Amino acid sequence: VKQFVDRLSGMGGPGPIEEMLAAGAEALEAGDFQDAEAIFTEVLAAEPDNLTAYAGIIQARLKSGDVDAARQMLTSLDADTQA
């Protein structure tokens, strides 16, 4: 029964978090680093352990030239998250 429910839940396409991650990646690719960071920050508000969102924010900060902010976020992650 669990497998059936899992298959049904996957049939609807990507969920809102996946859509937001895709939008953040598109913003990064387009060079819109401020919007990308905002989108990834929204993802973290919903899923605080989402490593893709952390990586997106760090990339946005690096690409916008804010190396110190990128470094600060990276060092704020705990050892388990960094591994």
Side-chain angles (χ1 to χ4, degrees), residues 2-68:
K2 182 181 180 329
Q3 289 174 345
F4 175 73
V5 172
D6 288 347
R7 275 190 283 137
L8 284 179
S9 65
M11 291 175 67
I17 296 297
E18 289 81 11
E19 289 176 358
M20 290 173 69
L21 290 172
E26 288 175 18
L28 270 178
E29 198 170 302
D32 194 350
F33 308 126
Q34 197 169 29
D35 277 352
E37 183 172 345
I39 293 167
F40 290 126
T41 299
E42 286 184 47
V43 171
L44 285 181
E47 290 187 0
D49 294 331
N50 191 303
L51 295 181
T52 303
Y54 277 110
I57 292 170
I58 292 168
Q59 286 180 339
R61 290 178 178 181
L62 286 172
K63 290 181 178 187
S64 68
D66 197 349
V67 176
D68 289 335

